[in-house]
Amino acid sequence: MSTITKVDQYINLTKKNFRTYLGIAISIFLFILFFQPFTVDKFEFENNMLFIAGFGMIVLLTLIISQILFHRILVKADKENLSDSIWVPLYFLFQIVTSSLAFVFYLRYVGQNSMTFNTVVKVVIICFSLPVTLFLRYRLSIDQLRIHELLRETRAMQDKLKQFSESYINKHIEIISENESDNFRIQVSEIVYIKSADNYVEVGYHEEGLVKKKMLRNTLRNIEHQLVDFNNFIRTHRTSLVNIQYIDKLNKNFNSYWLSLDKTKETIPVSRQYLMAVKELL
C-alpha cells in the first residue's frame, strides 16, 4: 500500500471520527465542570475553567493518539467485523490506561491535588467512558450498515419480484381436460387456487372482480406440472395448490391449519407436510 493511500485513509478516518472525539471531550469537560468530582478550589474562576478544559484536551489528544497507533485496525473495522480480534480490547485498554495516567499526573502536578484512592477510582470511571462511548458508536454504525444492506437486498428482491410478476402477468396456459371441449385457457395470474375432487379438479379463478370455479377432468399433479415454471404457486395439501398472491392469512384451529383467500370465502387446507413452506412465504 502506498504512503499516499495510507495518508488518505488516515485523513478520511479522522474526518469520520473527529466529531465523535470532540463530542466525547466536550462531554467530559461539562461533566467535570458541573459535577466537580475533583477539587479545583486552588484556582480563580477563570483559571478553574481553563484547568477543567485541560481534561477535555487530554481526552481529545488520547483519542487522536490511539487512532494513530491503531490506525490499521480502525481501517479494517470499517470493512469487516473485528469484534473477535485481540486488537480491539487493546485499543480500548490503551485509551483507559493512557487517559487515566494523564488525568492523575494533571491533577497531581498541575492541579496540585493530593492523590487518594477515591480520586484514582473517579479518574478510572471517567476515563472508562471513552471506550464505552466509542464501542457503542461502533456497534451503532455496524447496525446501520446492516440495516442499509438489508434494505438494499429487500429493494433488489422487490425489483426481482416485480420483474417476475410482470413476466408472468400476461402469460396464458391451457388446462387440459379429458373432455377436449372442456379445455380451459386462462391467464396464469388469474388462477386463485386448484383443488382436486376425485377424478376432477376445481379451478378457482379471478374474473370481473369475482372468484369463479370450473371443474375439469384432470389430476392435480398434471396441472402442477404445467405450472412448474411459475413460482407464485405453492402446494399446501395433497389436494390443493394455491396462488400466493391471493393468500390473505394462515389460520389455525386446534391441530388443523387452513388459508383464507382474498375476494372469496373459499378456504384452502394446509397439511403439516407443507406447513413450514407456507409459513416461510408468509
Side-chain angles (χ1 to χ4, degrees), residues 131-279:
V132 169
T133 304
L134 289 176
F135 178 77
L136 292 176
R137 180 186 177 277
Y138 170 72
R139 294 306 308 175
L140 179 62
S141 64
I142 291 295
D143 291 340
Q144 288 176 337
L145 288 174
R146 288 177 178 172
I147 290 172
H148 289 316
E149 182 66 19
L150 288 173
L151 289 174
R152 187 188 65 79
E153 291 177 358
T154 300
R155 284 193 292 267
M157 291 179 64
Q158 289 174 339
D159 291 341
K160 289 182 180 179
L161 181 60
K162 183 179 179 181
Q163 293 173 2
F164 171 76
S165 298
E166 290 174 350
S167 68
Y168 95 92
I169 193 169
N170 295 319
K171 295 283 186 178
H172 287 75
I173 65 168
E174 185 172 13
I175 302 177
I176 307 298
S177 173
E178 290 184 10
N179 300 321
E180 292 187 7
S181 59
D182 291 335
N183 288 357
F184 185 42
R185 182 172 175 79
I186 185 173
Q187 189 170 299
V188 174
S189 60
E190 299 297 336
I191 299 175
V192 179
Y193 67 87
I194 303 172
K195 289 183 178 180
S196 65
D198 296 327
N199 295 324
Y200 290 82
V201 291
E202 176 187 304
V203 180
Y205 61 98
H206 187 261
E207 184 177 83
E208 298 177 352
L210 300 174
V211 176
K212 300 182 179 181
K213 302 177 183 179
K214 186 173 182 63
M215 300 295 291
L216 300 171
R217 191 171 180 83
N218 203 330
T219 65
L220 185 64
R221 183 180 296 275
N222 289 340
I223 297 178
E224 184 179 22
H225 182 70
Q226 283 187 267
L227 297 172
V228 70
D229 293 330
F230 302 99
N231 295 333
N232 55 310
F233 290 93
I234 183 173
R235 189 74 172 260
T236 64
H237 192 270
R238 63 181 179 82
T239 64
S240 307
L241 192 68
V242 66
N243 189 336
I244 62 177
Q245 75 180 74
Y246 291 101
I247 295 176
D248 180 26
K249 64 178 180 179
L250 176 65
N251 305 281
K252 179 183 179 182
N253 184 15
F254 297 105
N255 292 324
S256 62
Y257 295 84
W258 72 95
L259 293 171
S260 53
L261 306 177
D262 291 333
K263 302 177 183 179
T264 178
K265 295 181 179 180
E266 194 74 30
T267 61
I268 304 296
V270 179
S271 66
R272 291 188 176 277
Q273 180 181 355
Y274 302 102
L275 180 59
M276 290 304 299
V278 173
K279 284 184 175 181

